[in-house]
Amino acid sequence: MIKELRSMDEYRTLINEFRAVCKKPFSNIYLMPDDINRYIELRRVSYKRDDNGIVFFFDESTHYSVYLYVNEKSEFEVPIRDNKLLVRNIYRTRKRNSTLLNIQNRLQELGFKKQGTLVRVQGNSQDIFSKCKIIEKHINEMEKKGYRCIAPDFSRFDEIERIILESNVIKDYQMTYRTPEEKKALEKGIYLCIVNSSDEICAGGIVDIDIAKKIVREGAVAVKPEYKMKGFAPILSYYRNKWLCDKNIQIVQGWISAYNEPSLKYHKSLGYNIMDKYVDEWLLDV
């Protein structure tokens, strides 16, 4: 039976009770307590508990993020829901062990399909911004043609998200979930876009920031097909990192396909480091 998770105390109790019967459970729960509590307060967390473990479902609107706390040697179950299910397993190369393989085998038995492997990239906003400065002359040329970069208001957020999703830069299940109220409360500059002389959006970008730790956790930039090859993506990177420097947010992180060589090469050229941290994404589409 699936139940709603109502508090952090209930969450901790569930975890402790299962640890009493399974000393070394497998878990892909990488969320911080504040993140978990946010979803609880939004009443978007449910779970199923049985003898083989606990499966948590975080309702992201487009899908459920599934977090496992299970005995990897058992045939744990992941109930089908009314939306697609996403399991993300994060690991380092040396820790891609038999436990993780057991989990992957079980996910395949349950009908999950591997979508790909992403690798963590990390850089310093000031270093990245200094490397982006080379395109300042292109920004001047862009502005002479009537294009400009702006921090739009809430009314244009959906269009920016649509451009990003339609570009296939990221999937809908990789987009950070926020309620309309949370979006309205975001600091100006989280969403950026380039508009033309008619004020139509040509390209856009979003970042997810941990304000307390001053870290960019994820981000995405996309350009409409008819505006590609105009240098808008690097120009957005310029403005993005200038904004981050102004906010004293130094660490910039993100996930990129481990097999997307052009993207990896581009990020390296901007000063990003390729980290020994990977995530396999498993999807059950209903």
Side-chain angles (χ1 to χ4, degrees):
M1 180 179 177
I2 296 175
K3 299 180 180 180
E4 181 182 342
L5 184 65
R6 295 187 176 274
S7 69
M8 280 299 294
D9 286 341
E10 182 182 9
Y11 171 79
R12 294 187 184 98
T13 297
L14 289 167
I15 296 297
N16 291 334
E17 286 179 349
F18 189 66
R19 285 184 65 88
V21 296
C22 181
K23 301 301 182 184
K24 292 184 178 181
F26 168 84
S27 176
N28 67 333
I29 303 174
Y30 55 86
L31 295 174
M32 301 300 289
D34 286 348
D35 294 320
I36 298 173
N37 198 53
R38 169 177 167 257
Y39 280 87
I40 292 173
E41 290 179 349
L42 291 171
R43 302 194 68 176
R44 302 186 76 90
V45 188
S46 53
Y47 70 92
K48 180 182 182 298
R49 179 179 62 178
D50 59 28
D51 292 342
N52 296 323
I54 315 158
V55 180
F56 295 96
F57 301 91
F58 284 59
D59 185 355
E60 309 273 9
S61 184
T62 59
H63 67 286
Y64 291 98
S65 288
V66 178
Y67 296 102
L68 307 172
Y69 204 80
V70 298
N71 181 350
E72 49 91 10
K73 296 180 181 177
S74 69
E75 294 187 352
F76 62 87
E77 296 292 337
V78 179
I80 294 175
R81 304 297 302 272
D82 56 348
N83 209 339
K84 55 194 173 190
L85 307 177
L86 175 71
V87 175
R88 303 179 91 225
N89 293 332
I90 297 178
Y91 59 91
R92 299 185 187 278
T93 303
R94 61 186 175 82
K95 290 190 176 181
R96 198 171 188 276
N97 53 26
S98 59
T99 297
L100 188 60
L101 294 177
N102 287 341
I103 293 295
Q104 293 179 356
N105 289 338
R106 181 57 183 160
L107 290 174
Q108 287 179 306
E109 292 171 355
L110 293 170
F112 283 81
K113 306 293 184 183
K114 187 176 178 181
Q115 302 303 297
T117 299
L118 308 179
V119 62
R120 170 69 86 189
V121 296
Q122 179 172 305
N124 178 282
S125 61
Q126 293 180 336
D127 294 340
I128 298 168
F129 180 57
S130 67
K131 291 181 181 294
C132 288
K133 281 189 173 183
I134 194 171
I135 65 168
E136 285 181 341
K137 61 180 180 180
H138 298 297
I139 292 174
N140 294 332
E141 293 172 2
M142 177 191 80
E143 291 176 344
K144 288 177 182 177
K145 295 177 182 178
Y147 298 101
R148 56 199 171 92
C149 183
I150 64 170
D153 61 29
F154 170 75
S155 65
R156 312 193 80 171
F157 288 4
D158 284 349
E159 184 179 356
I160 293 173
E161 291 179 9
R162 186 166 59 252
I163 291 170
I164 290 172
L165 292 175
E166 288 178 353
S167 72
N168 211 32
V169 171
I170 59 175
K171 307 294 184 183
D172 59 357
Y173 54 80
Q174 296 169 329
M175 183 81 79
T176 300
Y177 172 76
R178 296 186 182 99
T179 66
E181 292 74 20
E182 287 175 323
K183 289 180 182 179
K184 289 177 182 178
L186 287 173
E187 189 167 355
K188 192 171 185 179
I190 295 290
Y191 285 70
L192 288 177
C193 63
I194 292 176
V195 297
N196 61 19
S197 57
S198 300
D199 203 38
E200 298 169 332
I201 296 177
C202 310
I206 314 172
V207 288
D208 176 31
I209 295 176
D210 185 328
I211 296 294
K213 294 183 178 180
K214 294 187 176 295
I215 295 176
V216 172
R217 297 190 288 195
E218 293 183 23
V221 170
V223 181
K224 281 185 175 179
E226 62 268 35
Y227 292 100
K228 289 188 174 181
M229 306 304 292
K230 293 181 179 292
F232 285 172
I235 288 171
L236 274 173
S237 293
Y238 169 90
Y239 280 107
R240 168 61 66 214
N241 285 282
K242 182 179 185 303
W243 182 82
L244 292 172
C245 290
D246 291 343
K247 297 294 180 182
N248 197 30
I249 297 171
Q250 297 183 358
I251 300 176
V252 185
Q253 298 178 334
W255 293 102
I256 300 175
S257 170
Y259 309 108
N260 188 339
E261 291 298 334
S263 182
L264 292 172
K265 184 177 179 180
Y266 172 69
H267 281 80
K268 285 180 180 178
S269 72
L270 290 179
Y272 284 88
N273 295 313
I274 311 301
M275 313 298 286
D276 182 25
K277 195 171 186 179
Y278 300 86
V279 57
D280 290 339
E281 295 185 322
W282 295 83
L283 192 69
L284 179 61
D285 208 346
V286 295

